[in-house]
Amino acid sequence: APDGSQQVADLWADPNVMVAFFSRVSPLRPLTIGYQTAMLRLEQEGGLPDTIKPEKVAMAIFSATKAELSQDRQQAIAQFLPSDGLRQMWEQA
């Protein structure tokens, strides 16, 4: 059975086969998803009810994820997030 950190890492695996493929074969050009794109994808692909805002879901995901990680891991993740709002959301969670 995978440990807790592997289970958390699995949450971030993109189920879109093409995105996952290109992420692996193109390490020199990392796929960066900004705040607006992340919220749009969550809204469109997350199966959210109309009454639930994607920002609320993202905060819940970030909070649950951070609860499973050490402070060092949390800081490392923050460094990879774009500073257009996602990093601030992560830090507030």
Side-chain angles (χ1 to χ4, degrees):
D3 66 6
S5 63
Q6 183 58 50
Q7 290 172 339
V8 170
D10 289 344
L11 292 173
W12 298 104
D14 196 317
N16 182 315
V17 176
M18 293 304 290
V19 171
F21 171 74
F22 286 117
S23 294
R24 283 193 304 274
V25 299
S26 182
L28 298 176
R29 189 170 180 206
L31 176 65
T32 56
I33 296 177
Y35 179 83
Q36 293 297 328
T37 302
M39 293 305 111
L40 180 64
R41 284 192 68 182
L42 186 54
E43 186 173 39
Q44 292 180 341
E45 301 173 25
L48 305 179
D50 292 337
T51 58
I52 304 295
K53 299 288 183 200
E55 293 84 1
K56 187 171 185 170
V57 174
M59 283 295 284
I61 292 168
F62 283 176
S63 293
T65 301
K66 285 176 77 173
E68 296 293 322
L69 300 174
S70 70
Q71 191 70 24
D72 290 341
R73 279 297 256 179
Q74 291 177 28
Q75 291 173 352
I77 289 170
Q79 296 306 309
F80 285 100
L81 292 172
S83 60
D84 66 349
L86 283 175
R87 184 178 305 162
Q88 290 80 0
M89 187 179 277
W90 173 261
E91 290 169 353
Q92 291 173 3

